[in-house]
Amino acid sequence: MHRWFAVILSVAALGWRVAEPAQKQIAVRAGRLIDGKGDQPVSQALILIEGQRIVSVTPGGAPPAGAEVIDLSRATVLPGLIDTHTHVLLNEDVTQEQYDEQLLKQSIPYRAILAARNARIALDHGFTTLRDLETEGAMYADVDLKTAIDRGEVPGPRLFVSTRAMAPTGMYPLLGYSWELELPHGVQVVDGVENARLAVREQIAHGADWIKFYADRGYFYGPEGVLHSHVNFTEDEARAIVGETHRLGHRVAAHAIGSDGIAAALRAGVDSIEHGDGMTEAEADEMVQKGTYWVPTITVGAAVAPGRGGNWQKMVETERQTFQRALKKGVKIAFGTDVGGFAWTRINQAQEFHYYVEYGMTPLQAIRTATSGAAELLGCADRLGTIEAGKLADLVAVAGDPLADITRLDHVGFVMKEGVVYKNEFK
Ligand SMILES: [Zn+2]
């Protein structure tokens, strides 16, 4: 008690004599600003940043005296991009061999080193936030990467992590090996209601922001043309996962590709449907009514189809039709690529924008899926997703006008996260 009193006294004395140092101000001149909320871009806007946050956005404004000026007057400035479906701990999963090799021949520390590289790639491409949807057997290494990024030890996007994900016994790789072998699992194996609740508690205790479960597997077309699937969890198990997660104040993402898996996930009350290729009209209506988000991950489907064969090529076409229908009905769509399923080093995540526009969105709608829309799914629309006073200063910039040509987003030339510049090619 004595010692604490002395500390308080000396801090108070310091405060008495030394004025708080003024926070560094950065003034960004944006030639064109897409702020993520307005319908029209603003030309010649001044974005004033103090510390981690945006303090004002003024059309035609002039930088205050003493502020550091970043001149992006030849560029279009947008909110930092958000990819809501990634796997930083995975490096290509077209074939079973590629997947199994990562779990059997690579240590988790080795995979974590590659994950740090992947995080840097994402940031370089303008993605300042990722929702990373499971480590594929790398346990809680996503939490460690998130911690290292938060502490500034390595550069990377802000991560929302989901740790191990869940599937019942025998329904997720590694599969097909001799019963004599004890093998690692790509998920936490969960059977029964009590086990489901325990798994949710364990994952959240170890740092999971989101809970993910695999709602289905084994995708096949019915005679009526609908993409079906085998449902993994019993109704009680799926409800236990969702119920416990919500009770603890977190959200649930469900991998669901076939219509049967999507239906089961919606009955359980999940917050987002991942992939969703086989979504029926009735399921799209249910998602609109419940406000459930859809994360289409079109890039991964197209990337793995040639190597996987079977139904995968047809599923790309099915998903195009599903996308057009869902867009017309007003299903909430959040940008997600499933990068890691395809190699981080081979395809830029921004490819996903091309599909959204090709399938019927306006460029502005597509941009919103990766900014304000994604921020809403993540429950942090108060901090992320738009460029306005009070938000975290996550900004990216591209040459030219992405509203006229969405492929401009393939090359992000400027990246700022929380007021720190990681890349600037416009100097
Ligand atoms: Zn995935």
Side-chain angles (χ1 to χ4, degrees):
M1 192 123 96
H2 190 83
R3 205 178 301 154
W4 278 113
F5 188 61
V7 169
I8 289 163
L9 259 185
S10 59
V11 168
L14 257 169
W16 190 266
R17 275 174 306 203
V18 186
E20 267 290 300
Q23 269 197 318
K24 181 182 154 196
Q25 283 190 327
I26 299 177
V28 175
R29 286 182 189 277
R32 189 187 290 106
L33 172 66
I34 298 171
D35 63 9
K37 66 183 173 128
D39 287 330
Q40 293 297 326
V42 180
S43 58
Q44 302 305 330
L46 189 89
I47 306 157
L48 191 64
I49 295 149
E50 261 180 35
Q52 301 178 325
R53 290 187 186 270
I54 298 163
V55 292
S56 64
V57 180
T58 323
E68 176 192 337
V69 177
I70 297 176
D71 184 13
L72 302 176
S73 57
R74 292 173 297 125
T76 301
V77 176
L78 308 95
L81 304 174
I82 303 172
D83 187 339
T84 70
H85 190 133
T86 69
H87 300 278
V88 285
L89 283 135
L90 193 64
N91 292 284
E92 198 158 55
D93 170 27
V94 177
T95 64
Q96 190 197 319
E97 289 69 31
Q98 285 174 329
Y99 187 84
D100 292 15
E101 181 172 333
Q102 292 175 66
L103 273 72
L104 293 170
K105 295 186 180 172
Q106 297 178 3
S107 69
I108 292 175
Y110 178 77
R111 296 178 64 191
I113 291 166
L114 298 191
R117 177 204 61 187
N118 297 340
R120 172 83 229 200
I121 291 172
L123 191 63
D124 230 44
H125 289 163
F127 291 85
T128 50
T129 304
L130 308 179
R131 182 180 62 155
D132 200 69
L133 281 185
E134 87 124 320
T135 61
E136 309 287 357
M139 299 298 288
Y140 297 97
D142 53 351
V143 178
D144 296 312
L145 179 61
K146 172 185 169 151
T147 303
I149 291 170
D150 284 351
R151 290 178 181 169
E153 302 287 359
V154 292
R158 157 186 319 100
L159 297 183
F160 290 81
V161 296
S162 61
T163 75
R164 304 178 64 190
M166 301 175 193
T169 296
M171 300 184 197
Y172 198 80
L174 305 179
L175 297 169
Y177 291 88
S178 163
W179 55 265
E180 293 162 297
L181 297 173
E182 276 291 340
L183 291 171
H185 296 286
V187 289
Q188 182 166 9
V189 176
V190 168
D191 298 292
V193 165
E194 287 311 315
N195 221 334
R197 292 201 186 97
L198 176 60
V200 169
R201 290 172 194 169
E202 272 178 18
Q203 293 187 2
I204 290 174
H206 289 308
D209 301 301
W210 277 74
I211 294 297
K212 179 189 185 182
F213 73 90
Y214 283 83
D216 67 353
R217 71 190 189 289
Y219 321 110
F220 61 96
Y221 283 93
E224 78 289 34
V226 171
L227 181 63
H228 287 282
S229 55
H230 300 292
V231 173
N232 289 343
F233 285 105
T234 65
E235 299 268 318
D236 284 347
E237 288 169 332
R239 277 186 216 280
I241 294 169
V242 176
E244 190 62 11
T245 306
H246 286 168
R247 198 175 71 84
L248 298 179
H250 292 256
R251 294 184 183 186
V252 185
H255 162 109
I257 289 182
S259 60
D260 309 78
I262 297 165
L266 291 175
R267 281 197 300 277
V270 302
D271 301 284
S272 69
I273 295 288
E274 307 301 312
H275 317 300
D277 310 45
M279 187 191 304
T280 62
E281 295 257 357
E283 286 164 353
D285 290 336
E286 188 178 346
M287 288 176 71
V288 171
Q289 182 242 320
K290 289 182 169 171
T292 315
Y293 263 94
W294 179 33
V295 182
T297 70
I298 295 165
T299 310
V300 78
V304 303
R308 286 188 185 173
N311 280 332
W312 287 90
Q313 200 63 54
K314 191 172 172 190
M315 283 158 63
V316 176
E317 183 47 36
T318 301
E319 192 164 38
R320 172 203 290 267
Q321 293 160 7
T322 299
F323 190 95
Q324 288 165 344
R325 205 161 49 222
L327 181 60
K328 228 176 264 168
K329 284 181 182 287
V331 174
K332 291 180 178 177
I333 296 174
F335 183 100
T337 61
D338 211 358
V339 59
F342 57 89
W344 288 85
T345 48
R346 193 163 64 87
I347 301 173
N348 183 339
Q349 290 153 276
Q351 185 87 37
E352 187 82 8
F353 288 113
H354 306 192
Y355 291 108
Y356 293 0
V357 171
E358 190 189 324
Y359 292 1
M361 277 187 174
T362 65
L364 187 61
Q365 275 180 308
I367 288 166
R368 281 190 180 150
T369 67
T371 55
S372 47
E376 191 194 309
L377 168 62
L378 294 174
C380 49
D382 58 332
R383 294 183 288 142
L384 302 172
T386 59
I387 297 177
E388 54 187 320
K391 297 282 178 93
L392 289 172
D394 285 10
L395 314 179
V396 299
V398 297
D401 182 5
L403 298 181
D405 175 9
I406 198 71
T407 68
R408 290 288 186 177
L409 295 176
D410 295 358
H411 193 95
V412 167
F414 173 86
V415 179
M416 172 188 277
K417 190 188 86 176
E418 289 184 19
V420 177
V421 177
Y422 289 88
K423 179 181 189 179
N424 188 359
E425 294 176 354
F426 293 101
K427 275 190 219 169

